[in-house]
Amino acid sequence: MKQIHVVAGVIRDARGRILLARRTEGRDLSGLWEFPGGKLEPGETPDAALARELHEELGIEAVVGTAIVDVPQRYPHKRLRLDVREIASWSGMPRGLDGQALAWVPPRKLADYPMPPADRPVVAALLQPAEVLVTPMPGADDGAWLQGLRASIEAGVRRVQLRAPGLDAARWRSLVAKAAALCRESGVEALLNGDARLAREHGLGLHLRAGQLPVFDAAMRVPGTSLAASCHAAADLQRAESLGCDFVVLGAVLPTPSHPGIAGMGWDGFAALREDSALPIYAIGGLGRGDIALARSHGAQGIAAIRGLWASSS
């Protein structure tokens, strides 16, 4: 199937609310809410197409701003590329000129509106962090590791996966308690890799390893905490979605020092898997902060990394 290029805009009012439009009867996915926009016409640039569509659909004059995320999505009868831009400024009174209902929605309530699969990752891109720090193995000095975590948080990390495979269990339990307290006092979301019991003990989210996905029981999830997973293939993504995961990490995109000799899936491979999931998906594997824009241009929520996000404690 040929991919259809659709542009959409995030339009904000003076109160910070975001405009959604409801798909009209007779269209596919009718009744669902979406970010306003439409298809590119031959020869149009995305910016020109979006400005035209917003004028035709809403009666406003819009100045198109920066890119937010570009989501490839496969539907049973079509392949879509949803190219979402911030609207830098606009004038006029938005009206549903095609008979569509409109709603001004506070950002925190966007997830309450039923949306097509391609629009759901846009909500995550607007509300959730663009980075997930995966902690490195602690060295001999636990204090230095905790200082490294603090420095990473001070450098802007807001979501952390606590991970130390093979570390002595008693030592790791002590470190998790201290790391959880540090994240909590800093307002940072922390998820624990693999250990549901220890995560529950400290009120942390849980990050499942790919091998845990087939056997994990959703009833084991701790209410009020996040559930995430590592994924490497389409079956992993499908299982994560069926479990109600809040987000996943997918890769490796590029070759990494931790997996020498193993080729990454590449950005084309990442985007191909992204097409069949509506989850927020972080790209991992040889990536850092400088890759966030590239990741979002392939449908990612952002990037997950160890070396690329771990700050020096010095």
Side-chain angles (χ1 to χ4, degrees), residues 68-72 82 121-122 125 267 270-271 274-275 277 279-283 292-302:
I68 296 175
V69 66
D70 201 337
V71 184
L82 182 62
V122 182
W267 285 114
F270 178 92
R274 153 89 279 176
E275 281 193 316
S277 176
L279 289 170
I281 302 177
Y282 291 89
I292 290 175
L294 178 61
R296 287 202 161 183
S297 74
H298 290 85
Q301 169 69 17

Side-chain angles (χ1 to χ4, degrees), residues 29 32 71 73-75 115-121 274 277-279:
L29 305 172
L32 299 183
V71 184
Q73 190 73 43
R74 189 192 312 272
Y75 293 95
M115 293 184 176
D119 290 77
R120 293 179 215 155
R274 153 89 279 176
S277 176
L279 289 170

Side-chain angles (χ1 to χ4, degrees), residues 134-304:
V134 182
T135 57
M137 284 292 293
D141 186 346
D142 289 354
W145 185 87
L146 288 166
Q147 280 299 107
L149 178 58
R150 183 181 296 277
S152 300
I153 291 170
E154 290 173 351
V157 165
R158 310 309 298 165
R159 180 172 268 172
V160 175
Q161 180 196 147
L162 301 173
R163 179 178 180 273
L167 194 70
D168 173 76
R171 183 185 173 196
W172 182 230
R173 179 177 291 274
S174 173
L175 273 177
V176 166
K178 294 172 183 175
L182 173 58
C183 289
R184 195 171 293 115
E185 74 183 29
S186 304
V188 169
E189 182 184 22
L191 297 92
L192 187 63
N193 181 281
D195 191 332
R197 182 174 296 178
L198 189 57
R200 180 182 291 272
E201 182 179 322
H202 292 284
L204 299 173
L206 177 64
H207 186 100
L208 300 172
R209 296 185 288 270
Q212 293 176 299
L213 280 168
V215 297
F216 184 76
D217 184 346
M220 297 168 61
R221 180 174 182 169
V222 179
T225 63
S226 292
L227 180 66
S230 292
C231 297
H232 307 294
D236 297 336
L237 289 169
Q238 291 165 8
R239 177 60 177 162
E241 200 152 5
S242 72
L243 287 172
C245 284
D246 296 288
F247 66 89
V248 298
V249 173
L250 176 64
V253 175
L254 304 177
T256 65
S258 58
H259 297 83
I262 299 177
M265 66 177 60
W267 285 114
D268 288 345
F270 178 92
L273 290 169
R274 153 89 279 176
E275 281 193 316
D276 294 317
S277 176
L279 289 170
I281 302 177
Y282 291 89
I284 193 170
L287 305 173
R289 280 198 172 95
D291 298 302
I292 290 175
L294 178 61
R296 287 202 161 183
S297 74
H298 290 85
Q301 169 69 17
I303 63 103

Side-chain angles (χ1 to χ4, degrees), residues 5-7 37-64 87 97-98:
H5 191 169
V6 173
V7 283
K39 299 176 186 176
L40 269 72
E41 292 183 353
E44 276 189 313
T45 66
D47 285 14
L50 182 52
R52 174 186 55 76
E53 286 284 349
L54 296 180
H55 177 74
E56 293 174 356
E57 292 188 4
L58 304 175
I60 65 173
E61 302 298 327
V63 176
V64 178
I87 299 303
L97 298 180
D98 292 333

